[in-house]
Amino acid sequence: MRIQIAPSLLAADFTHLAREVARAEAAGADMLHCDVMDGVYVPNISFGFPVIRQIAKITSLPLDVHMMTSCPGRYIDVLAEIGASIVTVHSDAVEPDELGHTLSKIREAGMTPALALRPPCPAEEILPYADILGMVLVMTVEPGFGGQKFMADMMPKVREVRQILDRVNPTCAIEVDGGIGEATVAEAAEAGANVFVVGTASFRAPDMKEAVSSIREKAEIAFRHGRQIE
Ligand code: DX5
Ligand code: ZN
């Protein structure tokens, strides 16, 4: 299972977005994490589709779009059109009877469907959809803001998600998002996460390339270690 680092553009310098995207590429990012917030699902508003469309034009990195909006199903067509690769929707942002349909629609539109669990949402919420998911996002902060403290108490949930996926969908990725950096990545990787959203600790590091390499190395060692323990 490949370790992937996804710098979060929320921590980038928005006055020089093209330069920031180039900096992430040069640092060895595997994809770019784009946080879309609507001020309803989370108490903050970030950026939306016109910005992502422009970013897609200047990079070949896959765009990992984290939808922190209500009714994310409304935006699947536009996300496909502007060049999103992964579309993550929150389990509690969609009516339970529509969630399976929303995830299938994301796949039918040619993108990877991912399901996000905010801190109070248990691992079992993925069960009905585990076989169609390309990724599960376990939030390690309450969504809405960058620069928050990593919640180590989410690690049992990462382990549970990995156990479920090992049974039904072993190639499915697990992403963690919130407070990930040099000091926290190993814990998350050892628990079974393999995709790491890194905002503050990448874009705001003194040397982004050094930070991304070091975070990746720590993740690789800890992920392997975690798999051997089980
Ligand atoms: C928070 C966002 C994150 C955020 C992470 O709701 O989903 O992607 O940018 O930022 P850091 O890495 O600074 O915690
Ligand atoms: Zn995010």
Side-chain angles (χ1 to χ4, degrees), residues 7 12 59 72 87-88 97 100 128 143 146 158 160 172 202:
T59 187
V87 175
T88 304
D97 58 339
V158 174
E160 275 176 67
C172 184
S202 64

Side-chain angles (χ1 to χ4, degrees), residues 65 67 72-77 79-80 84-90 94 98-116 132-134:
V65 181
M67 294 294 288
R74 276 186 196 162
Y75 309 110
I76 295 170
D77 292 337
L79 283 163
S85 289
I86 302 173
V87 175
T88 304
V89 300
H90 274 265
V94 185
E98 283 173 30
L99 191 49
H101 175 68
T102 301
L103 294 165
S104 310
K105 226 180 121 190
I106 293 169
R107 190 169 293 285
E108 281 156 23
M111 302 175 291
T112 298
L115 187 60
I132 60 163
L133 291 171

Side-chain angles (χ1 to χ4, degrees), residues 7-14 17 33-37 44-47 68 144-147 177 198-200 203-204:
S8 170
L9 285 171
L10 199 61
D13 176 353
F14 289 153
L17 210 40
H33 185 81
C34 305
D35 288 300
V36 179
M37 305 180 190
N44 196 11
I45 298 179
S46 55
F47 52 82
M68 284 167 277
F145 300 90
D177 182 5
V198 189
T200 310
F203 279 107
R204 306 211 180 156

